[in-house]
Structure formats: C-alpha cells, structure tokens
Amino acid sequence: MAVLGFPTMKRQMRVRQENVMAILLFATVLFVLAPFAAAQPTFSTTTFLEAVRTKFGKPASCKHPTCICSIADESIAWRLLSEYGSIFVAADAVRVPSHCIFENEKQVTEFQSSSRSSSEIMSGVTIELQDEAMTALLNAQAEARRIGLRITPLDGSIAGKRSYSDTIRIWNSRYLRALDHWVRRGKISPEEAQTARNDAVLVQIRKVMDWESTGLNFGTNIKGSIFSSTAPPGTSQHLSMLAFDVVQYANRNIRAIMNKHGWYQTVANDPPHFTFLGLTEKELPSRGLKNIVKGNYKFWVPDLK
Ligand SMILES: [Zn+2]
C-alpha cells in the first residue's frame, strides 16, 4: 500500500467532501421533486388512437383511423373520430361500441339490449342511459338542487338514448332541408340532390364533407356544419346511451357539476351535448383527449396527431 503525502491526503479528503455534498444535493432535489413526478398521469404519452386500440383489444398493427373505426374511407374515419371519438376512451365501467358506425337498427338494438341501462322520468319524459351514466347524472342533479339549480333534458327523451331511426330522422331534418336550400340557390343541381337523397349513409357523409368544404353548410338553419349539429345516422353517442343533452348547459356551475360527476362536453360546437366518460378531468389527457375552448365552453376532444 502506498503511503500518501499530507498534501495528497488533504486533496483526497476535499474531493470526498465535494462528492458527499453533490450526493446530498441530488437527494434533496429528488425529495423535493418526487411529489410532482408522482402527480403526472401514468400514461401521459398515450395518444388517442393508441388508447382506443388498446381498449378495443385490436392488434398492434391497427394504428390508423380506418382500422380503429372499421371504415375504409380514410377521411370519413378521421372525421367521425375527431367529432365524436371521445366516447371510445370512456371508463372501463361503461360499454362502448367497438367501431365508429352502427349500420342498421338491428346492430343498435343488439348493443343497447346487451348493455346494462336504467330509465328515469325527468321533466315528464323518459330518459334511458347506461347504469353508471344514469347514477352519475342523478348525483349531479341532486348536487345542483342543493344550490337551487336544475339539470333537465333538452328536446324530450332523445336527450338520452336514441334509436337508429331517431338518428336518421334528426340527420334528415338537416340534410334534406339543406339539399332543398342549395338546389333553390342553384348551388346543387336537382338531379344531384335527388341522387344524394337516396345515397347510402357513408356516401351522404362523403358528399356533405365535400359540399361543406366549399362553403355549402348543412347545419341547422344552413348555419355551420351538420356534424356539429347532429351526428350522421349510426354514429351518435346517444346510441351508446352515454350522452345527455342539457337545457342549462350555459350555466358555468352546471357544467362544473356535470364535470365533477364524469360528464363532459366532447363535441365541439355542440355545447348542450354532454358525454359520460366516467373519469376525473385529470385523467382525460392520459386517455388521449385534449381540451379546446370555443366560445365560453371547454370541449374534451380526441388529440389526433
Ligand atoms: Zn346530444
């Protein structure tokens, strides 16, 4: 063993002291930052598509909206997911369809009859929702009542569950009226409109997307997009019994109470429409949702990168 000279020993002691100080400083930083690290969402990097793919148990290769949505037309798949897709990352306690569109009444009836649901009379109309969504809504209504407010259904029983034929009827109330309007304005030919009236749903969606991209709006009263006004037949969140349209949506306190009970506005430009996600607001980014503010309202929509 070499015998060290006194200056060398002093230098080594100083180096050891500096190392100890550095370790203590590092430990202090870790101690201070630990609570913040723990507060981060577990899946903060999860994208929306990945969250849906995982939830549906689809293979790792299924990363594209056409596969996630089970719709071959890429632009329709993107559009449906971006408009109405938030529902697909709802809490596991509720049931969501494994594709973006129900093709007929039979598919809707099968989904609805095999999901646990309950009905309540609200403002004189029957509202039916999945059990967890109904319990949360009743709790929200009770909380609102305690501060002298009400949460009531908009436009009768279609505020809750809808049938496939309901979604056709509501879509046609905009779609057919807008076709007539644009024919009168000379923007769409009578022959083209006649064909469009009888097209299959996916073809109607494709054509409306094309027309609206040129400024021919199909929304309520020919204002805005039809996709913010009503979902195309078979694509409405109301079919899943996880949506509820609220009369008092403009009241900030009502929105806060709905949010607290897992109900969020998820369709941009449709503020009366709330979706039951059954999650806390802090959990939503971890499911691939982002919030956007339009008007006075905050919408939780898919973060489609
Ligand atoms: Zn709605």
Side-chain angles (χ1 to χ4, degrees):
M1 179 195 252
V3 177
L4 301 173
F6 185 66
T8 310
M9 285 175 66
K10 246 178 107 178
R11 195 163 55 245
Q12 283 200 345
M13 281 177 67
R14 200 164 57 238
V15 169
R16 281 193 198 113
Q17 279 177 347
E18 283 167 0
N19 285 345
V20 169
M21 290 296 288
I23 289 166
L24 281 174
L25 183 66
F26 182 64
T28 307
V29 168
L30 274 183
F31 181 75
V32 170
L33 291 181
F36 295 100
Q40 294 299 312
T42 316
F43 306 105
S44 59
T45 56
T46 303
T47 65
F48 174 77
L49 292 176
E50 182 61 18
V52 180
R53 187 193 69 73
T54 307
K55 190 175 171 72
F56 290 172
K58 299 210 176 191
S61 58
C62 184
K63 293 175 177 169
H64 196 272
T66 52
C67 178
I68 300 278
C69 236
S70 303
I71 289 179
D73 186 307
E74 187 174 344
S75 54
I76 293 177
W78 275 107
R79 187 67 185 257
L80 294 181
L81 274 182
S82 62
E83 296 278 358
Y84 319 115
S86 296
I87 195 175
F88 295 121
V89 291
D92 293 338
V94 296
R95 193 160 166 240
V96 298
S98 58
H99 41 76
C100 289
I101 187 163
F102 289 104
E103 291 172 14
N104 50 50
E105 196 78 77
K106 183 168 176 280
Q107 286 184 5
V108 171
T109 308
E110 278 173 4
F111 176 88
Q112 292 178 343
S113 60
S114 59
S115 304
R116 290 178 295 111
S117 66
S118 45
S119 301
E120 295 285 339
I121 305 290
M122 297 178 190
S123 302
V125 298
T126 302
I127 297 296
E128 185 172 352
L129 296 168
Q130 286 194 35
D131 284 348
E132 291 77 6
M134 180 62 84
T135 300
L137 177 59
L138 293 174
N139 289 339
Q141 288 175 325
E143 186 167 341
R145 272 197 302 276
R146 285 197 286 275
I147 55 170
L149 299 174
R150 297 181 75 211
I151 298 174
T152 56
L154 179 70
D155 287 340
S157 64
I158 57 167
K161 168 186 164 180
R162 289 178 194 170
S163 66
Y164 184 76
S165 57
D166 284 332
T167 63
I168 292 179
R169 179 173 46 76
I170 300 168
W171 171 263
N172 280 344
S173 71
R174 277 77 161 173
Y175 179 70
L176 299 180
R177 191 176 300 170
L179 278 174
D180 292 343
H181 172 84
W182 293 120
V183 167
R184 281 197 304 275
R185 291 290 188 91
K187 301 289 186 183
I188 294 175
S189 73
E191 297 75 24
E192 205 177 0
Q194 187 52 34
T195 305
R197 287 184 191 98
N198 298 311
D199 279 329
V201 168
L202 287 177
V203 179
Q204 291 186 12
I205 295 173
R206 170 84 258 170
K207 287 185 175 177
V208 168
M209 284 169 57
D210 290 344
W211 278 319
E212 289 196 339
S213 71
T214 66
L216 307 188
N217 287 324
F218 273 63
T220 310
N221 300 323
I222 322 299
K223 287 179 189 153
S225 171
I226 192 172
F227 297 101
S228 307
S229 169
T230 191
T235 67
S236 172
Q237 295 177 348
H238 290 276
L239 296 170
S240 301
M241 302 185 288
L242 293 173
F244 182 66
D245 296 332
V246 175
V247 170
Q248 301 83 357
Y249 67 90
N251 185 315
R252 178 192 299 268
N253 295 324
I254 292 297
R255 297 198 298 274
I257 292 171
M258 289 293 278
N259 293 169
K260 184 179 162 190
H261 292 276
W263 286 89
Y264 300 90
Q265 288 156 301
T266 70
V267 179
N269 299 315
D270 187 4
H273 178 98
F274 285 77
T275 311
F276 183 69
L277 299 178
L279 302 164
T280 65
E281 197 156 16
K282 272 189 178 170
E283 291 176 292
L284 302 182
S286 71
R287 301 281 176 139
L289 301 182
K290 63 177 179 183
N291 71 70
I292 56 170
V293 175
K294 289 197 167 194
N296 289 323
Y297 307 107
K298 179 166 66 178
F299 300 93
W300 283 96
V301 301
D303 189 3
L304 286 166
K305 297 191 174 69

